[in-house]
Amino acid sequence: MLARLFFMGCLWAVAVTARATLPSVAFYYGPDIPWDELAAFDMAVVEPAQSVVAPPDGAGHLYAYVSLGEVLPSRDYAAGVRPEWILADNPAWRTRVLDLADPALRDYLVEAVIRPLWRQGYRRFFFDTLDSYQLGVESDTERAAQRRGLETLILRVAESFPGARFMLNRGFELLPAVHQHVDAVAAESLYQRWRPDSGRYQAVPREDREWLLARFDEVRQQYGIPSIAIDYAPPEDRARARQIAAQIQSHGVVPWVSNPALDMLGVGNLEVVPRRVLMIHGIDQDGLWERSEMVRFGLMPAQFLGLVPDIRHVGEPMPAGTLNGRYAGIVTWLSDGAVVPRAFRHWLAEQARAGVPIAMVGQLPVDPEDPEAEIFGLHQGPDPQESPKLISKTPEIGFEAPLPALLEVASPITADNAQPWLTLRAGDEDYVPVAITGWGGYALDPYVVRSVLPTIGDDDITDRWVIQPLEFLRQALKLPPMPIPDVTTENGRRLFFVHMDGDGFPSLAEVHGYRDQAAGEVLLQEILKRYPVPTTISVVEGEVARSGLYPERADELEDIARRIFRLGHVEAATHTYSHPFYWHEAAANPAAIQGSEGALRLDVPGYTLDLDRELSGSARYIEENLLPPGKTVKMVLWSGDTNPSEKALELTREAGLLNMNGSDTVITRSAPTWTLIKGIGVPKGDEYQVFAPNQNENLYTGNWQGPFYGFRRVIETFELTGEPIRFKPIDIYYHTYIASKKASLESLKTVYDWALRQPINPVFASDYVEKVLDFNHMVIARQGEGWQVSGGGKLRTLRLPDGVALPDLASSQGVAGYQDGGTGPYVHMSGARASWRPGPGPAAPALWEANGRLEAFERDASGVTFSLKSFLPLVFTLQQPAGCELRQGKRRLSPVSRDGNRYRYRSERSELDELRLQCGQ
């Protein structure tokens, strides 16, 4: 055993060394092409037929799969293949072998196969089945004719499509003629192959491996082209896939180990850590599922752990293909009455057998007595005939609320091979309502979230977590430690921004000195001019425009808005045209003013609700009438119930606008519960709604009934979402009418003053929204012992949980520094991509923290060069070894304080370019 471990350790060390010079390659032929993940690889091969859209911009070096030697009858171009072009049949794959010696066939393939792909945007091609002609020829003369036909075809493609590049599957004998157009040569089965005839994985005989390695060596030595081995392993056996990949790499060959269908993200010298999580609910009505427990409670812990939810109804089609490598796991959160289709139960059992982790929350999605559910090892016991007693519980149970005195068993369940979190006993029967299992875990009602005052209506402030939600999801989904994209922080400092919903802009003020003036005027004079920090201001067109509710005041109100939008620290947003209060019901009843719960929208004279008019129309009004030259509307801030439909989100995106609002993060010291910390946003079909990080004064002033000074309690929310765990940035979010009363106006000033005393990094609301959207697309990948992270460059902070070491800065790329301790550690990316090996390495100059954004950053052997830009006078701290000094040109900058090797700097300027921290000569 020790000898084997030593061998594997040596093998892995060789593989890590080889990785530094080898490109990373992925092959994915499945549906729902994971474009973001594939863009992390140096080269990726996809099956274009699996996507109806062209590859997106920034998708990386994609190679379109093309079978030159065979055709499936199901291919769209198969109908045009003439009978005389068919050389033989391949019964193993049910394909037809093509006669590539025929010039007419070659012409057809160029026009019917390559040209459509070129028009789609593909510029690289992976040519497969290059040796299939062997099935239909017998003599050397026939083989030579087929080989010449292939060479002619490949050269014809290169000539017809200038700049086209190729990857070959085998085709070693073609390289002398075509190698100048070839980027890599791949071949299947170096260590483990798949036998479709027997449906088994099989070790490759040594002589076959040695023959293939010899061909790979020839490719590299004669042509300088990398070689790729595509091997196969069971999807559920990731450890075996990693072992095979290490063996392949030890030969200097690029590995890709996947399942036979190549419809999963496998293992190569780069292994993507899946972040998507499939979250299943049972509420089938639009407008209601967004208020489900899955969204209210489940989003926050999943997103805090770095996961990207894919939310579906239990009756919807589930993702096709193999989920391993693409999804971190599945979470079902069902409530009483949810109907679970049998097809879903079958699909869920298949995922468990394939090794996809599953967390079942609320109610079980499977019947323990169904033979198909045997994989879960669940057992239905008899209903208890007496009050259950507590037998055991882990520290994660009773997280925010103790177990009730009268225990309940809603689901009499036990599980095989489980780690019970909670065990109850009634009579001779044990019940386990919460457990971690081999396939995942489950937490059943009422031991997930419960009300501590169940008789007091349905107010969310009485809800408490019974389980520790972060730890339950982490264990149930078997999440590996990984760097986590973080939307709360940049360069070590908590993000800070301000946004205002335009409601009440015309409200008459009760403030001394402004009595009977518009609240918008008070806001301008008392807040916006006093606090020149990034602020996103919106107006409701129906309140300020001549076509709205107050045409006689339009000149006054529009003038105030113009003066606000002229401020350099103000960006513009729309709060819609008629301020829908209930988005789904208002859209369903466009002519109605009153609905089932009250007013549906403002009663703008002569107006019938139209989503395009609400969104892009109101944005056009603001741009054409209120904004100075050069400014544009950046965002839609959702109104009313802040629950827009997928269609409304689609129209917003198509208009080039970002969106935000919704959710109710209102944790306070009187309601100190994580159930009141919500997620960062929610997917709705193909669209995405970004939530406001916390809520406005309405929820702190009794829905504007008083006390009107109540908004100062938002400081409690900021504190409780900042430490000891930083869940949220600081977002001062209010309505215009907060400026209409003295008490509320003073509370707002109190909140501003508190926020500006904190170590913050100020941004616009649109900057935050872009970070949330980037969160959903960032790719985290293992690279040996190190990490590679790629994104869009908007989100630049990674939080390191336990189990992820700080980076070795000296050898890192795209890492400006880190800040450990506190609510972090946080790694500061300098751009869209970063890679590093774990430290600690030698002391290296780096950024420790800053209240601005890095505009440039470059590391070399003797120091770092960087530029910083903020909305406030710059404050930043550098980690600088002894002997370093900071300069800007010929001017030396002196620190204002020092703590060990951390030097703190201040500047009256908000932007400093080309700073140089020089260490040595």
Side-chain angles (χ1 to χ4, degrees):
M1 180 65 179
L2 289 175
R4 175 176 170 78
L5 290 174
F6 177 77
F7 167 75
M8 289 306 301
C10 293
L11 186 62
W12 187 252
V14 172
V16 170
T17 302
R19 180 181 289 108
T21 58
L22 294 177
S24 58
V25 182
F27 291 78
Y28 184 83
Y29 297 169
D32 303 325
I33 298 176
W35 299 111
D36 294 328
E37 288 83 350
L38 294 177
F41 292 84
D42 297 318
M43 296 184 281
V45 180
V46 297
E47 171 53 89
Q50 294 283 12
S51 176
V52 297
V53 300
D57 294 338
H61 289 177
L62 290 173
Y63 292 74
Y65 175 89
V66 177
S67 175
L68 291 184
E70 299 179 20
V71 61
L72 274 168
S74 59
R75 289 284 183 179
D76 55 1
Y77 63 89
V81 175
R82 300 175 190 170
E84 62 267 27
W85 294 344
I86 298 174
L87 195 63
D89 288 331
N90 184 346
W93 298 102
R94 299 178 182 177
T95 57
R96 292 168 181 170
V97 179
L98 300 176
D99 182 5
L100 291 164
D102 192 316
L105 170 63
R106 297 197 295 268
D107 292 342
Y108 178 76
L109 292 176
V110 169
E111 297 303 320
V113 179
I114 305 299
R115 193 171 299 281
L117 292 173
W118 188 267
R119 288 173 180 155
Q120 274 187 264
Y122 291 98
R123 295 296 180 264
R124 299 173 180 84
F125 305 93
F126 174 63
F127 291 144
D128 194 17
T129 61
L130 299 181
D131 56 358
S132 296
Y133 64 83
Q134 300 282 5
L135 296 173
V137 298
E138 296 180 355
S139 68
D140 290 343
T141 301
E142 291 174 320
R143 293 186 183 89
Q146 293 296 321
R147 186 175 65 250
R148 287 194 299 273
L150 275 168
E151 293 170 353
T152 302
L153 175 58
I154 293 172
L155 293 173
R156 165 83 178 279
V157 173
E159 180 181 356
S160 301
F161 304 96
R165 300 295 299 173
F166 311 134
M167 185 189 299
L168 306 184
N169 189 359
R170 294 187 178 247
F172 301 111
E173 70 280 4
L174 306 176
L175 287 174
V178 304
H179 67 88
Q180 66 270 29
H181 305 290
V182 176
D183 293 331
V185 175
E188 297 175 82
S189 308
L190 186 62
Y191 276 91
Q192 186 159 276
R193 59 169 59 127
W194 168 253
R195 295 300 301 265
D197 51 352
S198 62
R200 293 184 159 208
Y201 298 92
Q202 183 185 76
V204 173
R206 180 176 179 179
E207 57 271 21
D208 291 358
R209 179 163 54 254
E210 290 179 348
W211 180 90
L212 186 54
L213 285 172
R215 303 291 79 72
F216 282 158
D217 285 342
E218 292 169 3
V219 168
R220 294 195 301 273
Q221 293 173 11
Q222 294 183 26
Y223 306 109
I225 298 173
S227 52
I228 305 163
I230 307 168
D231 274 32
Y232 301 107
E236 66 273 17
D237 196 349
R238 205 74 171 174
R240 175 62 177 147
R242 294 186 185 113
Q243 182 188 52
I244 294 172
Q247 291 174 310
I248 292 170
Q249 278 188 104
S250 68
H251 300 288
V253 176
V254 180
W256 185 250
V257 186
S258 186
N259 65 329
L262 291 172
D263 65 350
M264 63 176 282
L265 280 178
V267 177
N269 53 3
L270 189 72
E271 180 184 355
V272 169
V273 179
R275 295 180 57 225
R276 280 191 287 182
V277 59
L278 189 62
M279 303 186 78
I280 311 298
H281 66 86
I283 300 175
D284 58 4
Q285 187 174 341
D286 284 346
L288 293 180
W289 73 263
E290 296 95 327
R291 308 300 188 195
S292 67
E293 291 178 325
M294 170 74 80
V295 175
R296 288 163 54 216
F297 304 137
L299 282 183
M300 184 280 284
Q303 291 170 328
F304 184 81
L305 292 170
L307 302 180
V308 179
D310 174 357
I311 300 180
R312 306 194 186 200
H313 180 261
V314 70
E316 287 184 68
M318 294 298 122
T322 302
L323 269 58
N324 301 69
R326 287 191 293 145
Y327 283 82
I330 301 167
V331 178
T332 67
W333 197 320
L334 305 178
S335 55
D336 286 333
V339 177
V340 181
R342 183 163 186 82
F344 176 80
R345 297 182 181 188
H346 172 76
W347 177 85
L348 194 66
E350 285 187 331
Q351 301 310 313
R353 283 189 284 271
V356 179
I358 300 169
M360 302 176 183
V361 183
Q363 301 293 316
L364 289 176
V366 298
D367 180 357
E369 298 181 350
D370 186 343
E372 193 165 54
E374 183 180 356
I375 180 67
F376 300 108
L378 299 172
H379 302 285
Q380 181 91 35
D383 290 332
Q385 300 302 307
E386 58 186 71
S387 296
K389 297 179 181 179
L390 175 65
I391 298 302
S392 65
K393 73 180 188 70
T394 64
E396 292 83 8
I397 295 292
F399 174 61
E400 289 184 335
L403 294 174
L406 295 176
L407 297 170
E408 181 183 352
V409 176
S411 299
I413 294 296
T414 58
D416 294 335
N417 301 319
Q419 174 195 344
W421 273 26
L422 177 63
T423 303
L424 308 177
R425 181 172 295 163
D428 296 330
E429 296 289 336
D430 282 355
Y431 303 95
V432 181
V434 185
I436 301 299
T437 67
W439 47 264
Y442 62 90
L444 305 181
D445 291 334
Y447 301 106
V448 182
V449 172
R450 75 177 187 93
S451 173
V452 293
L453 295 172
T455 61
I456 309 298
D458 58 355
D459 196 332
D460 283 355
I461 67 171
T462 68
D463 289 326
R464 298 292 186 271
W465 282 104
V466 179
I467 60 172
Q468 212 284 20
L470 298 179
E471 196 58 34
F472 175 76
L473 275 188
R474 184 184 291 117
Q475 291 190 30
L477 297 181
K478 323 297 183 190
L479 298 178
M482 69 171 181
I484 295 174
D486 191 293
V487 301
T488 72
T489 303
E490 183 156 335
N491 291 333
R493 286 192 164 217
R494 195 176 182 187
L495 293 175
F496 162 73
F497 61 96
V498 179
H499 83 284
M500 187 199 81
D501 291 349
D503 312 43
F505 203 88
S507 297
L508 297 180
E510 304 169 12
V511 178
H512 179 71
Y514 298 96
R515 190 166 298 278
D516 294 333
Q517 294 188 49
E521 183 69 40
V522 183
L523 181 82
L524 171 61
Q525 302 301 332
E526 292 295 318
I527 297 297
L528 298 180
K529 288 185 176 181
R530 177 172 176 171
Y531 299 101
V533 295
T535 305
T536 302
I537 296 290
S538 68
V539 295
V540 180
E541 181 184 348
E543 284 192 338
V544 301
R546 195 169 302 281
S547 62
L549 299 178
Y550 311 104
E552 73 283 357
R553 297 182 61 194
D555 288 344
E556 168 205 358
L557 298 173
E558 289 186 336
D559 175 67
I560 297 170
R562 289 189 192 101
R563 286 185 283 130
I564 287 175
F565 287 129
R566 280 200 294 267
L567 296 174
H569 62 279
V570 168
E571 75 171 5
T574 176
H575 201 45
T576 75
Y577 179 49
S578 72
H579 195 285
F581 294 107
Y582 300 98
W583 279 86
H584 286 271
E585 189 174 357
N589 302 276
I593 300 301
Q594 293 295 318
S596 61
E597 298 186 62
L600 295 179
R601 56 180 174 86
L602 298 178
D603 190 5
V604 177
Y607 173 63
T608 297
L609 186 137
D610 175 81
L611 287 179
D612 189 63
R613 180 68 184 85
E614 291 291 335
L615 303 166
S616 60
S618 63
R620 281 194 301 274
Y621 158 76
I622 294 170
E623 290 181 343
E624 293 171 2
N625 296 277
L626 305 180
L627 299 190
K631 265 194 181 179
T632 60
V633 173
K634 293 291 187 70
M635 302 178 63
V636 169
L637 299 177
W638 300 111
S639 62
D641 66 355
T642 62
N643 188 16
S645 64
E646 181 182 356
K647 183 62 178 178
L649 289 163
E650 179 185 8
L651 291 171
T652 299
R653 176 181 52 79
E654 289 178 344
L657 300 170
L658 301 169
N659 81 87
M660 190 175 72
N661 276 355
S663 178
D664 291 315
T665 293
V666 288
I667 181 174
T668 58
R669 300 203 188 282
S670 58
T673 169
W674 285 7
T675 64
L676 294 177
I677 304 176
K678 308 303 182 179
I680 62 175
V682 63
K684 296 186 177 181
D686 293 330
E687 305 300 329
Y688 196 86
Q689 177 184 353
V690 178
F691 288 154
N694 50 267
Q695 274 304 310
N696 53 58
E697 78 281 20
N698 252 20
L699 276 77
Y700 296 88
T701 61
N703 288 321
W704 201 238
Q705 299 300 307
F708 294 110
Y709 55 79
F711 189 50
R712 65 192 184 191
R713 293 198 67 191
V714 76
I715 294 172
E716 298 175 30
T717 304
F718 295 152
E719 291 173 337
L720 292 171
T721 57
E723 291 183 349
I725 299 174
R726 187 175 294 171
F727 286 107
K728 298 288 181 180
I730 296 172
D731 171 22
I732 302 180
Y733 170 24
Y734 53 88
H735 296 92
T736 322
Y737 52 69
I738 199 172
S740 67
K741 296 181 182 294
K742 177 177 175 58
S744 56
L745 180 63
E746 290 304 314
S747 74
L748 182 58
K749 292 178 181 178
T750 299
V751 173
Y752 269 94
D753 292 339
W754 177 89
L756 293 175
R757 291 195 298 269
Q758 312 308 307
I760 55 173
N761 192 333
V763 297
F764 279 117
S766 61
D767 296 321
Y768 171 76
V769 169
E770 289 180 322
K771 293 177 194 301
V772 171
L773 297 178
D774 206 4
F775 172 94
N776 292 328
H777 296 282
M778 291 187 77
V779 179
I780 312 296
R782 289 187 181 94
Q783 201 169 28
E785 294 181 350
W787 296 96
Q788 176 180 298
V789 179
S790 56
K794 301 297 184 180
L795 194 164
R796 295 189 184 175
T797 291
L798 302 165
R799 176 169 30 88
L800 303 187
D802 291 342
V804 181
L806 289 166
D808 172 16
L809 293 174
S811 63
S812 69
Q813 295 183 340
V815 177
Y818 59 76
Q819 183 188 82
D820 61 3
T823 58
Y826 299 109
V827 170
H828 319 322
M829 295 174 62
S830 60
R833 298 175 70 94
S835 60
W836 71 88
R837 296 195 304 268
L847 180 69
W848 178 261
E849 57 95 30
N851 70 341
R853 185 170 177 83
L854 281 167
E855 296 291 297
F857 184 88
E858 184 176 350
R859 182 185 301 278
D860 57 39
S862 60
V864 296
T865 303
F866 62 100
S867 300
L868 281 169
K869 184 177 182 180
S870 179
F871 290 98
L872 298 173
L874 274 168
V875 179
F876 59 98
T877 302
L878 300 179
Q879 178 178 297
Q880 57 186 77
C884 300
E885 64 177 18
L886 182 65
R887 291 185 172 273
Q888 187 178 38
K890 295 182 179 180
R891 183 168 66 98
R892 183 178 182 274
L893 279 67
S894 299
V896 295
S897 63
R898 174 187 175 185
D899 180 9
N901 68 345
R902 296 196 290 272
Y903 293 72
R904 185 178 177 86
Y905 297 86
R906 289 182 180 274
S907 174
E908 294 303 313
R909 296 171 57 185
S910 62
E911 186 171 1
L912 292 173
D913 292 329
E914 296 186 8
L915 296 167
R916 173 67 180 175
L917 183 60
Q918 181 69 32
C919 301
Q921 300 300 319

